[in-house]
Amino acid sequence: MRIITGLAKGCKLKTPRGMATRPTSDRVKESLFSILGNEVWGKTILDIFAGTGGLGLEALSRGAKYAAFVDKATADIIRFNAEHTHMADKADVFKGDVFAVMDRLAAQGNKFDMVFCDPPYHLGLWERALTKLDKGDLLNEAALVIVEQGGDENELPDLTHLKLLRNQRYGKTTQINIFEYKSGNTSD
């Protein structure tokens, strides 16, 4: 695991030992950021189920202005990686239940331009997170929500404000969906 390009290019990221964490592979991450292009520049990022913090740190390396990282088990590793990549001054790390932290951030009036959601597969977590994000409490208009999920997890929850822009598959095990938030109904 490493930062692919930008200010922290080549920095290796610490990963948890002996845990069931499944970091996004460099190949998938490189493809995703190629799709996003300059969309991360100057944006505020929310990285939930952040694991190593690799997606949010890659966005910071590519010019995002701020990232909030949320993970119950790996907050210390994310803090280490943010320090190691010299991006800790643009990052906040929250340790706790992702949904409780999302509620707290929304109650404080935080809004984000981009959300990375990469939970463990097959536990219904990405669907639950997407449903919560669809309410818009944490999203600026035209925010992008990027969800990494299992290759066989194809049933999207009912969404009102998030519109699927792109589905990209990586082999049989991984797919990435990119959604855009619009405060009006997406079925119009």
Side-chain angles (χ1 to χ4, degrees):
M1 288 293 306
R2 64 186 171 87
I3 300 295
I4 296 167
T5 197
L7 297 173
K9 180 179 180 176
C11 284
K12 291 186 179 180
L13 301 177
K14 181 178 182 179
T15 58
R17 293 179 190 249
M19 293 180 62
T21 302
R22 174 205 32 78
T24 302
S25 73
D26 284 351
R27 179 180 73 89
V28 172
K29 185 166 50 170
E30 189 166 7
S31 175
L32 170 62
F33 280 92
S34 178
I35 291 166
L36 293 175
N38 291 328
E39 285 295 318
V40 299
W41 185 263
K43 298 294 197 285
T44 55
I45 308 295
L46 176 61
D47 190 348
I48 57 176
F49 305 101
T52 64
L55 294 173
L57 290 169
E58 184 73 36
L60 287 173
S61 183
R62 292 172 184 244
K65 72 177 177 183
Y66 169 78
F69 298 87
V70 185
D71 202 295
K72 189 174 190 173
T74 61
D76 292 338
I77 288 171
I78 298 166
R79 281 187 196 94
F80 174 87
N81 286 337
E83 289 287 337
H84 178 68
T85 57
H86 307 288
M87 292 186 279
D89 61 328
K90 298 188 233 175
D92 285 317
V93 180
F94 300 93
K95 181 176 185 171
D97 175 77
V98 167
F99 301 105
V101 174
M102 288 172 71
D103 287 342
R104 191 169 70 233
L105 290 171
Q108 294 169 350
N110 292 283
K111 296 270 187 173
F112 298 92
D113 302 309
M114 189 172 290
V115 178
F116 293 107
C117 176
D118 185 12
Y121 296 169
H122 302 104
L123 297 177
L125 297 171
W126 68 267
E127 296 98 325
R128 188 173 163 202
L130 208 54
T131 300
K132 183 177 276 293
L133 289 166
D134 189 55
K135 295 176 184 176
D137 298 341
L138 285 166
L139 301 177
N140 287 318
E141 189 69 20
L144 295 179
V145 176
I146 297 95
V147 178
E148 184 174 336
Q149 64 205 60
D152 58 348
E153 295 181 283
N154 297 314
E155 292 296 319
L156 293 178
D158 289 331
L159 301 171
T160 303
H161 303 290
L162 288 169
K163 178 183 178 188
L164 181 63
L165 297 179
R166 184 171 182 150
N167 171 271
Q168 187 73 41
R169 293 188 169 275
Y170 299 92
K172 293 180 180 179
T173 60
T174 304
Q175 64 180 316
I176 293 196
N177 284 320
I178 301 174
F179 298 85
E180 182 178 34
Y181 175 78
K182 295 288 187 188
S183 56
N185 191 317
T186 59
S187 63
D188 295 343

